[in-house]
Amino acid sequence: MELNDYQKTAVLDEHNACLVRANVGSGKTTVLIEKIRYLHQQKKIPLENMIVLTFTNKAAGEIKNRLKIQNIEENPSSLFYGTFHGIALKLLQEVLPLEELGYTKDFQVCLPEEELELANQLIHQHTLRIKYKNRLRKRLDHKYRSATSRQPEYQDDFPKLVTLLTEEKRKQNKMSYEDLLQCATKLLKDHPQQLLQLKWIIIDEVQDCDELQFELIRQLKRPEVGLFAVGDPNQVIYSWRGSMFNIFYKFRELYHAEELSLPVNYRSSQTILAVSRRFQESGDSLTGVQEEGEKISVKNHYDPFQEAEYLAEKILALHERGVPLEEVAVFYRLQSQSEILSKVLEKHQIPYEISQKKIIQDIPVLAWFLHILRFLSNHEDLTSGTYVLCDKTFGEGWTSKKARTEILNFTQGSVFLSKSLLFQAMWEYRDTGSGYINLWEQLSLEKYLRPSSSDYKENRRQILSLLKKMESYHSIRDFLNDLVLNGMEPEKDAVSGESVKLMTLHASKGLEFDYVFIIGVNDGLIPLNSRDASTEEEERRLFYVGMTRARKFLELSFYINPGTARVFPGPGRYLSSLPEKYLAHPADATRDTKEAARHLQDLKKMILEEKLRKLETPKEYARSQEQETSLSPDEKTALPENIPPETPKQLVEHPKYGRGSIISETEDTIVIQFDDYGEKEMLKAFSQLKKISCTGRCKLLWPVFLFYRDGLYFDSSEKSEKYFTFLRK
């Protein structure tokens, strides 16, 4: 491929450390691949002396495939390339003296959900006082962040839990994602001589680095090791999970890195780039090579239902003009926005695909079976063994206390027959590295899948299919570690032909389409209500990422009646900042607002009923642990930790402030004591409060419906016709 001058400069750069600011659509992956080829073929650097770090398995796979296409003499498999966690795993298993940290080379990598299960077990076993257990997962993630990051003071036993959790994971020979990075970083620091052959570090999407990943890079980067990093500060959209906005500054200051840029965009029309520039925060201004293209369409809709009907008609019209459905994408801020849209597309028989990460663990029978595999490969894995036995659908339906007792009797060498034939078979199994398909018979899984159940055939097919995939792995442990790090999607239902892509703005990163529709550009959605300046900046970057996914056509839309009080009606502030000369405002179709409102309510009712049906399916393991108290699982979830079960106060939930209890109320106002934000007084009509029933389900206390009349917005929950202060722009 012919490189432009900017790309050539980056590829041929001779500095020890080089940072490349790559604008959207500027060919950064091409530059990264060409850099590897240049170092290997021109500078004679063996592939095994390079480490290439990516943030997704998809990116790592693309590098692998494109290296093959480049006809590089050596086998690309000799290259240390992959995600940060994948590279850390490889270093720990093949290079570094892991035994120093109390682990063996055959350790297991556990998912965040598994770490959470183990943490909850320890809380129960040691009677730890942990506030707000619904936030435990976030707190476990935060414990790896910098000490300078602002974290709430809970004044509970969390520090003790962290210590116990660390010890238990080491005992069970397990590591979380964060443990992989921390252990690799520590051992590299203690044994820098272990990677003397390393000559170059190459990093893709460097702007997504968090502090743990940054520390790993620091230990890999010795003075004689070259560093080449490509990224775009304008695409930092994951700060909520630790991404460092100042990563370019840190690298520049630490390694005196040369800073280059790739300003030329090859993807989008000139009009799309001109509008997107308004949301570009840093770097060289976007320039493009494509034609001017169509103006940006700005469309208003009465409500989400009317919008969905319009989009269905628009997509059908585009398809009739010869536009492939796969080149059409609809972006939104929240995943819940896809619900109404998907129902309307189904009604119009338009194939669609919701871009939402699904893993095989989401399938109940496979989630249960994977815990069997984890116990088979590691008999110290008390968490997985307990999960298997406690499962109400496929396991024995025991309480966690009974299951733990059963397992400990075996692990401590007691001689007796297990009350569970399944556990007896699991305990006696030894991994020989072959014949995994025979596990079906060896464990007598037929019995536990309940042949008389309606789901038996499908569950059997799922397990046998997974066992077949395992045949290519040397051991169960290798299969499980690969599954955790690289993922494995469930087998998808066959979709006839092409399909429209529905996804959040976050999910759109790295993709591109000819036709892009960004819906809900209302304040409160795009952007979300910002709590501080940094959040607002990230919302702007997110909108920028979404717009720059479009090649030919971009349409932005907003609601007159969003249907929820937290979203402001009318065009959001991002729309008002766009240069008018690049915009088009298509005429509105004739609208029957009453009919639209009725259809919208019908759809919402249908969606709610579907959600309630899903709630009827218990999460077996979680439920089994809850059985050991007098409270039901849902009741326990509904109650904050600092309020005893017998408290008669009405419990409520707020989308921003979380759970709390009603202190007092008048005809128009209500005072709530929130668990995390203290006491707050709110207007009932705009409170967005949901009542938490004894079953743990929520019901909106004061539904708010907005109606438009004579240029003003009215609230149906008020007896008098008080109007909002939002005027039509």
Side-chain angles (χ1 to χ4, degrees), residues 135 529-531 654-658 677 688:
R135 296 183 185 165
N529 294 321
S530 304
R531 295 185 293 273
H654 188 274
K656 177 179 179 181
Y657 302 120
Y677 291 87
Q688 307 176 61

Side-chain angles (χ1 to χ4, degrees), residues 291-329:
E291 298 178 353
E292 182 175 349
E294 296 184 50
K295 287 187 175 184
I296 308 301
S297 175
V298 178
K299 191 81 173 170
N300 73 83
H301 302 283
Y302 177 72
D303 58 23
F305 172 78
Q306 199 163 55
E307 175 185 65
E309 287 286 350
Y310 161 81
L311 285 172
E313 294 172 6
K314 182 80 172 180
I315 291 168
L316 287 173
L318 287 172
H319 193 48
E320 288 174 1
R321 283 167 40 193
V323 176
L325 292 180
E326 61 187 12
E327 287 297 339
V328 181

